[in-house]
Amino acid sequence: MEWIRTHPYISALCATALVILIGVWVVRRQGTAPVSNTATTFAQNSTSFVRIWDGGGATNNASDAQNWVNDDPPSNNSWVIFGATNPAKFCNWNLLNISTITIESGYSSNVNINSNVTISGNLNISGGNFNIQADSITIRGDVNYAGGQFTANTSSVCFAGSANQTASILGNTTFYSLTFDTPNTVFSQ
């Protein structure tokens, strides 16, 4: 469990969960509902949707459970993180949907998107190469591209957030097909 305390994203999630828990406890304490032990359960499970790539499997496929910390592959609601755990092993993304993808500056390999995918949350790129090889990718959250590489190849990239959406893209990024299907997208280079 040491990696939970030392990982910046996990630590931030735990801190956020703690603030929420304190707020829930105060509301329950002031109301008529009895205070229960559900807050403890929530705190213990607050990082249950986070999946960290460790590349420990025999394949490079995202669907291979052994490539993830605790051999627990991502699901549609997962926030996946590629970082320094195994920075040199590339990932073939062969899953359809995901919540959020974060590629940290400590990751030096490729995340190859090989299937049409929808990212319902954010795409955060600070290192490595986010390499789209599928026909299309839909991003419903923000894009924070601060380092590494974003390679769209001949794929269609669609920004389709339901509310305001921000895409911060480094210069010299080429899109083959780029679509904005959202009420308000702020795109900056």
Side-chain angles (χ1 to χ4, degrees):
M1 297 306 268
E2 180 67 26
W3 62 271
I4 290 178
R5 286 196 313 267
T6 60
H7 199 282
Y9 293 107
I10 306 275
S11 297
L13 285 172
C14 290
T16 302
L18 180 60
V19 169
I20 291 169
L21 292 174
I22 291 170
V24 168
W25 185 81
V26 169
V27 169
R28 286 189 174 185
R29 197 69 181 133
Q30 292 174 350
T32 57
V35 177
S36 70
N37 198 18
T38 57
T40 304
T41 303
F42 178 77
Q44 290 172 346
N45 295 328
S46 64
T47 59
S48 64
F49 65 95
V50 175
R51 301 293 184 263
I52 299 173
W53 175 260
D54 67 13
T59 72
N60 292 62
N61 295 330
S63 59
D64 184 344
Q66 293 178 340
N67 281 323
W68 301 96
V69 168
N70 296 325
D71 296 337
D72 193 6
S75 65
N76 288 350
N77 295 321
S78 296
W79 176 1
V80 298
I81 299 173
F82 296 88
T85 308
N86 192 344
K89 186 169 182 182
F90 70 90
C91 173
N92 286 321
W93 192 265
N94 57 347
L95 303 173
L96 297 178
N97 300 309
I98 199 69
S99 174
T100 296
I101 295 178
T102 298
I103 305 173
E104 297 177 334
S105 60
Y107 187 74
S108 59
S109 193
N110 293 339
V111 176
N112 299 319
I113 305 299
N114 296 323
S115 59
N116 295 340
V117 66
T118 297
I119 301 172
S120 60
N122 296 338
L123 173 60
N124 306 301
I125 305 170
S126 296
N129 182 16
F130 187 76
N131 185 23
I132 307 169
Q133 299 173 338
D135 290 334
S136 68
I137 181 171
T138 301
I139 305 167
R140 299 197 186 283
D142 294 338
V143 176
N144 305 300
Y145 171 30
Q149 293 184 354
F150 181 101
T151 308
N153 296 306
T154 58
S155 302
S156 296
V157 177
C158 178
F159 291 93
S162 60
N164 293 343
Q165 189 174 16
T166 302
S168 299
I169 307 290
L170 290 176
N172 299 327
T173 301
T174 302
F175 293 92
Y176 178 78
S177 173
L178 181 61
T179 305
F180 295 96
D181 187 16
T182 183
N184 297 306
T185 298
V186 177
F187 190 82
S188 62
Q189 280 190 305

